[in-house]
Amino acid sequence: LTFPLMPLNRGMRTRLGCLSHKSDSCNDFTAILLDKPNRALKMWPITIRDCHFFSFRRLSTEEATRWADSFDSLLSHKYGVAAFRAFLKTEFSEENLEFWLACEEFKKTRSTTKLASKAHRIFEEFIDVQAPREVNIDFQTREVTRNNVQEPSLSCFDQAQGKVHSLMEKDSYPRFLRSKIYMDLLTQTQRRLS
């Protein structure tokens, strides 16, 4: 099979070129992010959407260092989640974090009428076989979750969310702590102190 080549505009070529280098340096993949930074926020040197954790003046070295204490410490900090998301994008595995975050948001649902539609949306996006952003879980967990979604409750994704959390904690999190993204973040926050 062959597909006709589509002409690429300069922006798309830049984005694709950036992805092909697959660097985990935030500075190296800024071109694939949104072109319009949020100017309402007080930023320093970089103004890009997914790497905004580099630019917020309020992030201290102590806070960023605390992320290395535990995976849950990282996930409990909004800039930690942003940094981890940027790292996972370089590994093409951000669906794990997106699923975990969707489950956390799902647990806040108070409307029983919205519960079923949200549960089905999450299942179809992350759990179902061939889902657009399918997470890596075992068959048994997938089937338990499928059954849970038939009569959804706030805990219907708990088993799958736990498996994904464990996978990220044992696999992606240690690599994140060694990544250039995290090291650059620590360096940037330390530079502000000197």
Side-chain angles (χ1 to χ4, degrees):
L1 281 174
T2 60
F3 298 96
L5 292 175
M6 296 179 66
L8 298 175
N9 65 28
R10 193 179 83 189
M12 184 58 79
R13 280 195 303 270
T14 302
R15 288 176 179 89
L16 290 173
C18 216
L19 283 172
S20 69
H21 291 101
K22 199 177 176 203
S23 168
D24 69 350
S25 166
C26 185
N27 293 329
D28 291 346
F29 68 87
T30 57
I32 66 173
L33 303 173
L34 292 181
D35 298 327
K36 296 180 181 173
N38 185 345
R39 300 206 188 286
L41 302 170
K42 293 181 180 178
M43 308 253 179
W44 60 267
I46 304 170
T47 54
I48 50 176
R49 187 173 154 257
D50 282 34
C51 289
H52 68 279
F53 56 88
F54 274 101
S55 54
F56 279 82
R57 293 178 187 227
R58 291 180 284 244
L59 181 61
S60 70
T61 303
E62 183 180 303
E63 289 171 315
T65 304
R66 240 183 275 133
W67 301 343
D69 293 345
S70 73
F71 185 50
D72 290 327
S73 175
L74 173 76
L75 293 178
S76 69
H77 197 281
K78 67 180 178 179
Y79 300 146
V81 170
F84 191 55
R85 177 183 282 132
F87 169 73
L88 290 175
K89 283 184 178 189
T90 68
E91 297 204 330
F92 304 101
S93 63
E94 69 268 18
E95 70 278 352
N96 293 323
L97 179 61
E98 298 302 331
F99 169 69
W100 187 86
L101 292 170
C103 291
E104 289 298 295
E105 193 61 33
F106 176 78
K107 291 175 187 177
K108 297 175 187 173
T109 305
R110 295 294 163 234
S111 166
T112 54
T113 56
K114 291 183 180 179
L115 199 65
S117 65
K118 284 184 176 183
H120 287 286
R121 195 171 333 130
I122 291 171
F123 184 84
E124 289 170 3
E125 185 172 350
F126 297 105
I127 304 293
D128 208 4
V129 176
Q130 300 298 316
R133 300 196 294 171
E134 184 179 359
V135 292
N136 186 13
I137 56 173
D138 59 273
F139 175 79
Q140 182 182 358
T141 303
R142 187 179 318 278
E143 291 307 304
V144 165
T145 306
R146 182 186 311 277
N147 290 334
N148 289 347
V149 168
Q150 299 309 312
E151 293 184 36
S153 69
L154 294 177
S155 62
C156 67
F157 293 106
D158 284 358
Q159 185 177 355
Q161 185 184 20
K163 298 269 181 167
V164 168
H165 181 280
S166 180
L167 176 68
M168 290 189 298
E169 185 175 32
K170 291 176 182 167
D171 187 42
S172 304
Y173 174 63
R175 284 197 312 277
F176 167 74
L177 294 176
R178 295 186 305 267
S179 72
K180 185 163 176 22
I181 286 177
Y182 184 59
M183 295 301 155
D184 286 350
L185 173 66
L186 291 175
T187 301
Q188 290 291 338
T189 59
Q190 290 166 352
R191 275 190 199 147
R192 279 193 327 225
L193 297 175
S194 43

